[in-house]
Amino acid sequence: MTDLVLVTGVSGFIASHVAARLLGEGYAVRGTVRNKDKGQKIVDALAAAGSDTSKLELVEADLSADAGWKLAVQDCRFVQHIASPFPLEAPSDREALVPAARAGAMRVIEQAIGAGAERVIMTSSMVSMMGQAGRGKHMIVKEEDWSDPDWKPLTAYPVSKTRAERAVWDYVESQNVKSRLTTVCPGLVFGPDTYDNGGASLAIIKGLFTGAFPMVPRIAYPIVDVRDCASIHIKAMTAPNVGGRRLIAGANTLWISDIADILRKAYPQAKLPTRVMPDLLVKIAGVFDSSIKSIVPDVGTFHEADAAYVSSLTGVIPRPAKDAVLAAAKSLIENRKIDLA
Ligand code: NDP
């Protein structure tokens, strides 16, 4: 019998790449969406890009409600819990995303463990690791690092990711089933927008081309290509010794100004920002602009991922960040999200 994998939020950027890989490897996939009619778009996009969607079924379930989750996990050998609110603009209430992220993750993990899923892979984020006071100019982010969700400068998205990841670890420990959970903590995820759904993830690349950032802030995060991020999710299902681990998904780190330079060389006709925004100005702008407020705690720090253990455990060696940046830009141009004319 074909192994069935639940992919939550299958319409999303990372989840659709994971689903395509699973289908390509012969798994059957059950994807959750909030609305089946809207969800059909991702089935069509996967089919158009060459996936055999005959083994893909959609079910409706919202992280904010119990309905649907019990049936969703039924008969699944593995669960890829990837859905979580990832808005382009952070709400001002720093706890606003927690109900969907944390209670939603708890709904998924409780049902999945109860139904006998062999392993649950949950997409967390490096934001659940980096958010600590006193990072200095260079932070090497390690598996054991945890953000402090009560640290006031943290905004709604990192607070939600940290509280959700903490809650699922607490749960599996309390049930003595820690080895049945693996979390994946990606840095910035770029790479090809194959299914035309790169939204929040590719907003930085798009914004550099469209003039959304006339000056670039001094922020630097590890970057991972969505294809490598998907590979880590899939290897995490069956690789030995990854149960109970937090897998950082990140290649090398780039400053946003490095990203602009890479794009400028590849697309000399584009108007890409050349000026760097003074840190003080970022901090002042953050008082008035919620999208800038979210990066204020990170300004001036070079965040580097200590992720060699992930390659040893999974065999995935992420491609260089530059390739992920260029692949994202190429596909955004092909999908007419960026107009170079
Ligand atoms: P997307 O916005 O493309 O995907 C998010 C998915 O979550 C969508 O399918 C969305 O469904 C679903 N979702 C959101 N809220 C709910 C809800 N209340 N109930 C059910 N489903 C919901 O984001 P990404 O693919 O980029 O991100 C996927 C995961 O990876 C997230 O957990 C994110 O935090 C994490 N991550 C992403 C990074 C990145 O750079 N992209 C970096 C680190 C972590 P719908 O289509 O209905 O809105």
PDB file of all heavy atoms in Angstrom, residues 9 11-14 34 61-64 82-86 100 123-125 157 161 186-189 197 201, ligand 1:
ATOM      1  N   GLY A   9      -1.461  22.934   4.984  1.00  0.00           N
ATOM      2  CA  GLY A   9      -1.221  24.185   4.237  1.00  0.00           C
ATOM      3  C   GLY A   9      -0.565  23.926   2.903  1.00  0.00           C
ATOM      4  O   GLY A   9       0.369  24.640   2.513  1.00  0.00           O
ATOM      5  N   SER A  11      -1.213  24.587   0.007  1.00  0.00           N
ATOM      6  CA  SER A  11      -1.196  25.666  -0.993  1.00  0.00           C
ATOM      7  C   SER A  11       0.002  26.599  -0.811  1.00  0.00           C
ATOM      8  O   SER A  11       0.270  27.439  -1.673  1.00  0.00           O
ATOM      9  CB  SER A  11      -2.483  26.493  -0.867  1.00  0.00           C
ATOM     10  OG  SER A  11      -2.573  26.979   0.477  1.00  0.00           O
ATOM     11  N   GLY A  12       0.734  26.470   0.276  1.00  0.00           N
ATOM     12  CA  GLY A  12       1.805  27.424   0.573  1.00  0.00           C
ATOM     13  C   GLY A  12       3.089  27.160  -0.210  1.00  0.00           C
ATOM     14  O   GLY A  12       3.262  26.114  -0.848  1.00  0.00           O
ATOM     15  N   PHE A  13       4.002  28.130  -0.133  1.00  0.00           N
ATOM     16  CA  PHE A  13       5.256  28.096  -0.911  1.00  0.00           C
ATOM     17  C   PHE A  13       6.090  26.859  -0.572  1.00  0.00           C
ATOM     18  O   PHE A  13       6.419  26.045  -1.444  1.00  0.00           O
ATOM     19  CB  PHE A  13       6.029  29.390  -0.596  1.00  0.00           C
ATOM     20  CG  PHE A  13       7.352  29.538  -1.284  1.00  0.00           C
ATOM     21  CD1 PHE A  13       7.471  29.406  -2.660  1.00  0.00           C
ATOM     22  CD2 PHE A  13       8.496  29.853  -0.544  1.00  0.00           C
ATOM     23  CE1 PHE A  13       8.705  29.577  -3.291  1.00  0.00           C
ATOM     24  CE2 PHE A  13       9.725  30.030  -1.158  1.00  0.00           C
ATOM     25  CZ  PHE A  13       9.833  29.884  -2.540  1.00  0.00           C
ATOM     26  N   ILE A  14       6.414  26.668   0.704  1.00  0.00           N
ATOM     27  CA  ILE A  14       7.257  25.521   1.076  1.00  0.00           C
ATOM     28  C   ILE A  14       6.470  24.222   0.924  1.00  0.00           C
ATOM     29  O   ILE A  14       6.968  23.228   0.362  1.00  0.00           O
ATOM     30  CB  ILE A  14       7.776  25.678   2.535  1.00  0.00           C
ATOM     31  CG1 ILE A  14       8.664  26.918   2.656  1.00  0.00           C
ATOM     32  CG2 ILE A  14       8.543  24.421   2.970  1.00  0.00           C
ATOM     33  CD1 ILE A  14       9.108  27.243   4.085  1.00  0.00           C
ATOM     34  N   ARG A  34      -7.714  25.674   3.543  1.00  0.00           N
ATOM     35  CA  ARG A  34      -8.832  26.242   4.288  1.00  0.00           C
ATOM     36  C   ARG A  34     -10.107  26.238   3.453  1.00  0.00           C
ATOM     37  O   ARG A  34     -11.192  26.272   3.974  1.00  0.00           O
ATOM     38  CB  ARG A  34      -8.499  27.663   4.746  1.00  0.00           C
ATOM     39  CG  ARG A  34      -7.577  27.613   5.940  1.00  0.00           C
ATOM     40  CD  ARG A  34      -7.426  28.951   6.566  1.00  0.00           C
ATOM     41  NE  ARG A  34      -6.356  29.723   5.959  1.00  0.00           N
ATOM     42  CZ  ARG A  34      -5.916  30.864   6.447  1.00  0.00           C
ATOM     43  NH1 ARG A  34      -6.465  31.363   7.523  1.00  0.00           N
ATOM     44  NH2 ARG A  34      -4.920  31.510   5.849  1.00  0.00           N
ATOM     45  N   ALA A  61      -9.360  22.066   6.536  1.00  0.00           N
ATOM     46  CA  ALA A  61      -9.127  22.186   7.985  1.00  0.00           C
ATOM     47  C   ALA A  61      -8.457  23.537   8.235  1.00  0.00           C
ATOM     48  O   ALA A  61      -7.558  23.934   7.490  1.00  0.00           O
ATOM     49  CB  ALA A  61      -8.236  21.059   8.498  1.00  0.00           C
ATOM     50  N   ASP A  62      -8.922  24.209   9.274  1.00  0.00           N
ATOM     51  CA  ASP A  62      -8.355  25.508   9.652  1.00  0.00           C
ATOM     52  C   ASP A  62      -7.649  25.318  10.994  1.00  0.00           C
ATOM     53  O   ASP A  62      -8.213  24.692  11.903  1.00  0.00           O
ATOM     54  CB  ASP A  62      -9.495  26.537   9.777  1.00  0.00           C
ATOM     55  CG  ASP A  62      -8.961  27.956   9.933  1.00  0.00           C
ATOM     56  OD1 ASP A  62      -8.059  28.176  10.772  1.00  0.00           O
ATOM     57  OD2 ASP A  62      -9.448  28.844   9.223  1.00  0.00           O
ATOM     58  N   LEU A  63      -6.457  25.869  11.117  1.00  0.00           N
ATOM     59  CA  LEU A  63      -5.699  25.708  12.371  1.00  0.00           C
ATOM     60  C   LEU A  63      -6.442  26.285  13.568  1.00  0.00           C
ATOM     61  O   LEU A  63      -6.193  25.893  14.706  1.00  0.00           O
ATOM     62  CB  LEU A  63      -4.330  26.391  12.252  1.00  0.00           C
ATOM     63  CG  LEU A  63      -3.335  25.741  11.284  1.00  0.00           C
ATOM     64  CD1 LEU A  63      -2.131  26.653  11.066  1.00  0.00           C
ATOM     65  CD2 LEU A  63      -2.885  24.379  11.797  1.00  0.00           C
ATOM     66  N   SER A  64      -7.350  27.212  13.303  1.00  0.00           N
ATOM     67  CA  SER A  64      -8.066  27.880  14.395  1.00  0.00           C
ATOM     68  C   SER A  64      -9.260  27.095  14.908  1.00  0.00           C
ATOM     69  O   SER A  64      -9.958  27.576  15.795  1.00  0.00           O
ATOM     70  CB  SER A  64      -8.550  29.260  13.938  1.00  0.00           C
ATOM     71  OG  SER A  64      -7.470  29.988  13.436  1.00  0.00           O
ATOM     72  N   ILE A  82       3.208  22.106   8.080  1.00  0.00           N
ATOM     73  CA  ILE A  82       3.922  23.267   7.517  1.00  0.00           C
ATOM     74  C   ILE A  82       3.097  24.548   7.647  1.00  0.00           C
ATOM     75  O   ILE A  82       3.638  25.647   7.734  1.00  0.00           O
ATOM     76  CB  ILE A  82       4.282  22.980   6.032  1.00  0.00           C
ATOM     77  CG1 ILE A  82       5.101  21.671   5.955  1.00  0.00           C
ATOM     78  CG2 ILE A  82       5.077  24.134   5.429  1.00  0.00           C
ATOM     79  CD1 ILE A  82       5.466  21.212   4.562  1.00  0.00           C
ATOM     80  N   ALA A  83       1.764  24.419   7.721  1.00  0.00           N
ATOM     81  CA  ALA A  83       0.901  25.609   7.774  1.00  0.00           C
ATOM     82  C   ALA A  83       1.122  26.418   9.044  1.00  0.00           C
ATOM     83  O   ALA A  83       1.324  25.870  10.120  1.00  0.00           O
ATOM     84  CB  ALA A  83      -0.566  25.179   7.719  1.00  0.00           C
ATOM     85  N   SER A  84       1.097  27.701   8.904  1.00  0.00           N
ATOM     86  CA  SER A  84       1.127  28.634  10.040  1.00  0.00           C
ATOM     87  C   SER A  84       0.897  30.018   9.462  1.00  0.00           C
ATOM     88  O   SER A  84       1.278  30.263   8.311  1.00  0.00           O
ATOM     89  CB  SER A  84       2.497  28.586  10.735  1.00  0.00           C
ATOM     90  OG  SER A  84       2.412  29.038  12.070  1.00  0.00           O
ATOM     91  N   PRO A  85       0.274  30.925  10.198  1.00  0.00           N
ATOM     92  CA  PRO A  85       0.086  32.253   9.627  1.00  0.00           C
ATOM     93  C   PRO A  85       1.431  32.939   9.365  1.00  0.00           C
ATOM     94  O   PRO A  85       2.276  32.995  10.261  1.00  0.00           O
ATOM     95  CB  PRO A  85      -0.714  33.005  10.695  1.00  0.00           C
ATOM     96  CG  PRO A  85      -0.916  32.079  11.830  1.00  0.00           C
ATOM     97  CD  PRO A  85      -0.288  30.766  11.533  1.00  0.00           C
ATOM     98  N   PHE A  86       1.608  33.432   8.152  1.00  0.00           N
ATOM     99  CA  PHE A  86       2.866  34.081   7.754  1.00  0.00           C
ATOM    100  C   PHE A  86       2.497  35.332   6.964  1.00  0.00           C
ATOM    101  O   PHE A  86       2.683  35.400   5.755  1.00  0.00           O
ATOM    102  CB  PHE A  86       3.680  33.095   6.897  1.00  0.00           C
ATOM    103  CG  PHE A  86       5.082  33.542   6.585  1.00  0.00           C
ATOM    104  CD1 PHE A  86       5.763  34.434   7.384  1.00  0.00           C
ATOM    105  CD2 PHE A  86       5.750  33.048   5.472  1.00  0.00           C
ATOM    106  CE1 PHE A  86       7.053  34.839   7.091  1.00  0.00           C
ATOM    107  CE2 PHE A  86       7.039  33.429   5.162  1.00  0.00           C
ATOM    108  CZ  PHE A  86       7.689  34.335   5.965  1.00  0.00           C
ATOM    109  N   ALA A 100      -3.705  30.641  16.193  1.00  0.00           N
ATOM    110  CA  ALA A 100      -3.643  29.753  15.015  1.00  0.00           C
ATOM    111  C   ALA A 100      -2.345  28.954  15.012  1.00  0.00           C
ATOM    112  O   ALA A 100      -2.343  27.754  14.713  1.00  0.00           O
ATOM    113  CB  ALA A 100      -3.768  30.564  13.732  1.00  0.00           C
ATOM    114  N   THR A 123       7.318  22.558  10.555  1.00  0.00           N
ATOM    115  CA  THR A 123       8.135  23.685  10.108  1.00  0.00           C
ATOM    116  C   THR A 123       8.071  24.776  11.154  1.00  0.00           C
ATOM    117  O   THR A 123       7.034  25.403  11.354  1.00  0.00           O
ATOM    118  CB  THR A 123       7.618  24.258   8.771  1.00  0.00           C
ATOM    119  OG1 THR A 123       7.248  23.180   7.927  1.00  0.00           O
ATOM    120  CG2 THR A 123       8.682  25.107   8.100  1.00  0.00           C
ATOM    121  N   SER A 124       9.179  24.962  11.838  1.00  0.00           N
ATOM    122  CA  SER A 124       9.268  26.098  12.754  1.00  0.00           C
ATOM    123  C   SER A 124       9.999  27.199  11.997  1.00  0.00           C
ATOM    124  O   SER A 124       9.703  27.455  10.824  1.00  0.00           O
ATOM    125  CB  SER A 124       9.973  25.683  14.042  1.00  0.00           C
ATOM    126  OG  SER A 124       9.986  26.760  14.942  1.00  0.00           O
ATOM    127  N   SER A 125      11.005  27.807  12.571  1.00  0.00           N
ATOM    128  CA  SER A 125      11.719  28.880  11.888  1.00  0.00           C
ATOM    129  C   SER A 125      12.960  29.229  12.707  1.00  0.00           C
ATOM    130  O   SER A 125      12.988  29.013  13.931  1.00  0.00           O
ATOM    131  CB  SER A 125      10.827  30.119  11.790  1.00  0.00           C
ATOM    132  OG  SER A 125      11.571  31.224  11.310  1.00  0.00           O
ATOM    133  N   TYR A 157       5.012  37.616  14.543  1.00  0.00           N
ATOM    134  CA  TYR A 157       5.381  36.377  13.847  1.00  0.00           C
ATOM    135  C   TYR A 157       6.385  35.541  14.657  1.00  0.00           C
ATOM    136  O   TYR A 157       6.132  34.362  14.932  1.00  0.00           O
ATOM    137  CB  TYR A 157       5.881  36.709  12.427  1.00  0.00           C
ATOM    138  CG  TYR A 157       6.379  35.507  11.679  1.00  0.00           C
ATOM    139  CD1 TYR A 157       5.489  34.500  11.279  1.00  0.00           C
ATOM    140  CD2 TYR A 157       7.728  35.356  11.372  1.00  0.00           C
ATOM    141  CE1 TYR A 157       5.943  33.373  10.596  1.00  0.00           C
ATOM    142  CE2 TYR A 157       8.183  34.242  10.689  1.00  0.00           C
ATOM    143  CZ  TYR A 157       7.287  33.258  10.303  1.00  0.00           C
ATOM    144  OH  TYR A 157       7.743  32.141   9.635  1.00  0.00           O
ATOM    145  N   LYS A 161       5.761  31.746  16.273  1.00  0.00           N
ATOM    146  CA  LYS A 161       6.560  30.560  15.902  1.00  0.00           C
ATOM    147  C   LYS A 161       7.233  29.958  17.138  1.00  0.00           C
ATOM    148  O   LYS A 161       7.303  28.746  17.302  1.00  0.00           O
ATOM    149  CB  LYS A 161       7.613  30.921  14.840  1.00  0.00           C
ATOM    150  CG  LYS A 161       7.057  31.378  13.520  1.00  0.00           C
ATOM    151  CD  LYS A 161       6.168  30.343  12.844  1.00  0.00           C
ATOM    152  CE  LYS A 161       6.908  29.154  12.285  1.00  0.00           C
ATOM    153  NZ  LYS A 161       5.988  28.204  11.610  1.00  0.00           N
ATOM    154  N   PRO A 186      13.917  26.876   9.204  1.00  0.00           N
ATOM    155  CA  PRO A 186      14.593  27.530   8.081  1.00  0.00           C
ATOM    156  C   PRO A 186      14.937  28.986   8.376  1.00  0.00           C
ATOM    157  O   PRO A 186      14.264  29.663   9.148  1.00  0.00           O
ATOM    158  CB  PRO A 186      13.555  27.466   6.945  1.00  0.00           C
ATOM    159  CG  PRO A 186      12.420  26.626   7.447  1.00  0.00           C
ATOM    160  CD  PRO A 186      12.484  26.685   8.949  1.00  0.00           C
ATOM    161  N   GLY A 187      15.999  29.449   7.710  1.00  0.00           N
ATOM    162  CA  GLY A 187      16.280  30.889   7.668  1.00  0.00           C
ATOM    163  C   GLY A 187      15.364  31.494   6.617  1.00  0.00           C
ATOM    164  O   GLY A 187      14.207  31.082   6.485  1.00  0.00           O
ATOM    165  N   LEU A 188      15.886  32.456   5.845  1.00  0.00           N
ATOM    166  CA  LEU A 188      15.064  33.026   4.768  1.00  0.00           C
ATOM    167  C   LEU A 188      14.962  32.009   3.650  1.00  0.00           C
ATOM    168  O   LEU A 188      15.984  31.500   3.184  1.00  0.00           O
ATOM    169  CB  LEU A 188      15.734  34.275   4.203  1.00  0.00           C
ATOM    170  CG  LEU A 188      15.628  35.586   4.947  1.00  0.00           C
ATOM    171  CD1 LEU A 188      16.324  36.679   4.138  1.00  0.00           C
ATOM    172  CD2 LEU A 188      14.182  35.955   5.185  1.00  0.00           C
ATOM    173  N   VAL A 189      13.741  31.739   3.200  1.00  0.00           N
ATOM    174  CA  VAL A 189      13.562  30.738   2.150  1.00  0.00           C
ATOM    175  C   VAL A 189      13.329  31.444   0.816  1.00  0.00           C
ATOM    176  O   VAL A 189      12.328  32.149   0.644  1.00  0.00           O
ATOM    177  CB  VAL A 189      12.381  29.794   2.473  1.00  0.00           C
ATOM    178  CG1 VAL A 189      12.281  28.698   1.417  1.00  0.00           C
ATOM    179  CG2 VAL A 189      12.557  29.178   3.857  1.00  0.00           C
ATOM    180  N   ASN A 197       3.321  31.031  -5.808  1.00  0.00           N
ATOM    181  CA  ASN A 197       2.720  31.277  -4.486  1.00  0.00           C
ATOM    182  C   ASN A 197       3.779  31.735  -3.476  1.00  0.00           C
ATOM    183  O   ASN A 197       3.607  31.545  -2.282  1.00  0.00           O
ATOM    184  CB  ASN A 197       2.017  29.995  -3.987  1.00  0.00           C
ATOM    185  CG  ASN A 197       2.964  28.800  -3.931  1.00  0.00           C
ATOM    186  OD1 ASN A 197       4.137  28.923  -4.265  1.00  0.00           O
ATOM    187  ND2 ASN A 197       2.468  27.648  -3.531  1.00  0.00           N
ATOM    188  N   SER A 201       7.378  34.953   1.393  1.00  0.00           N
ATOM    189  CA  SER A 201       8.758  34.457   1.381  1.00  0.00           C
ATOM    190  C   SER A 201       9.630  35.227   0.389  1.00  0.00           C
ATOM    191  O   SER A 201      10.783  35.525   0.677  1.00  0.00           O
ATOM    192  CB  SER A 201       8.733  32.973   1.001  1.00  0.00           C
ATOM    193  OG  SER A 201       9.901  32.356   1.391  1.00  0.00           O
TER     194      SER A 201
HETATM  195  P1  NDP B   1       2.924  30.539   2.908  1.00  0.00           P
HETATM  196  O1  NDP B   1       2.239  31.785   3.359  1.00  0.00           O
HETATM  197  O2  NDP B   1       3.162  30.366   1.451  1.00  0.00           O
HETATM  198  O3  NDP B   1       2.143  29.282   3.459  1.00  0.00           O
HETATM  199  C1  NDP B   1       1.502  29.288   4.674  1.00  0.00           C
HETATM  200  C2  NDP B   1       0.421  28.243   4.632  1.00  0.00           C
HETATM  201  O4  NDP B   1      -0.220  28.196   5.902  1.00  0.00           O
HETATM  202  C3  NDP B   1      -0.658  28.531   3.593  1.00  0.00           C
HETATM  203  O5  NDP B   1      -0.974  27.348   2.928  1.00  0.00           O
HETATM  204  C4  NDP B   1      -1.819  29.010   4.440  1.00  0.00           C
HETATM  205  O6  NDP B   1      -3.072  28.653   3.907  1.00  0.00           O
HETATM  206  C5  NDP B   1      -1.606  28.203   5.703  1.00  0.00           C
HETATM  207  N1  NDP B   1      -2.293  28.813   6.819  1.00  0.00           N
HETATM  208  C6  NDP B   1      -2.092  30.042   7.363  1.00  0.00           C
HETATM  209  N2  NDP B   1      -2.946  30.238   8.380  1.00  0.00           N
HETATM  210  C7  NDP B   1      -3.713  29.111   8.472  1.00  0.00           C
HETATM  211  C8  NDP B   1      -4.793  28.706   9.298  1.00  0.00           C
HETATM  212  N3  NDP B   1      -5.302  29.505  10.251  1.00  0.00           N
HETATM  213  N4  NDP B   1      -5.326  27.474   9.104  1.00  0.00           N
HETATM  214  C9  NDP B   1      -4.866  26.662   8.129  1.00  0.00           C
HETATM  215  N5  NDP B   1      -3.855  26.998   7.306  1.00  0.00           N
HETATM  216  C10 NDP B   1      -3.300  28.209   7.477  1.00  0.00           C
HETATM  217  O7  NDP B   1       4.275  30.483   3.715  1.00  0.00           O
HETATM  218  P2  NDP B   1       5.597  29.610   3.535  1.00  0.00           P
HETATM  219  O8  NDP B   1       5.380  28.460   2.665  1.00  0.00           O
HETATM  220  O9  NDP B   1       6.690  30.543   3.214  1.00  0.00           O
HETATM  221  O10 NDP B   1       5.780  29.128   5.034  1.00  0.00           O
HETATM  222  C11 NDP B   1       5.418  27.829   5.448  1.00  0.00           C
HETATM  223  C12 NDP B   1       5.915  27.594   6.834  1.00  0.00           C
HETATM  224  O11 NDP B   1       7.309  27.825   6.879  1.00  0.00           O
HETATM  225  C13 NDP B   1       5.294  28.505   7.888  1.00  0.00           C
HETATM  226  O12 NDP B   1       5.108  27.733   9.062  1.00  0.00           O
HETATM  227  C14 NDP B   1       6.359  29.569   8.108  1.00  0.00           C
HETATM  228  O13 NDP B   1       6.288  30.110   9.379  1.00  0.00           O
HETATM  229  C15 NDP B   1       7.620  28.717   7.926  1.00  0.00           C
HETATM  230  N6  NDP B   1       8.820  29.473   7.556  1.00  0.00           N
HETATM  231  C16 NDP B   1       8.881  30.149   6.365  1.00  0.00           C
HETATM  232  C17 NDP B   1      10.041  30.837   6.009  1.00  0.00           C
HETATM  233  C18 NDP B   1      10.154  31.564   4.720  1.00  0.00           C
HETATM  234  O14 NDP B   1      11.085  32.340   4.529  1.00  0.00           O
HETATM  235  N7  NDP B   1       9.250  31.321   3.781  1.00  0.00           N
HETATM  236  C19 NDP B   1      11.193  30.883   6.907  1.00  0.00           C
HETATM  237  C20 NDP B   1      11.032  30.115   8.109  1.00  0.00           C
HETATM  238  C21 NDP B   1       9.884  29.439   8.409  1.00  0.00           C
HETATM  239  P3  NDP B   1      -3.949  29.666   2.975  1.00  0.00           P
HETATM  240  O15 NDP B   1      -3.447  29.429   1.583  1.00  0.00           O
HETATM  241  O16 NDP B   1      -5.333  29.231   3.212  1.00  0.00           O
HETATM  242  O17 NDP B   1      -3.657  31.057   3.469  1.00  0.00           O
END
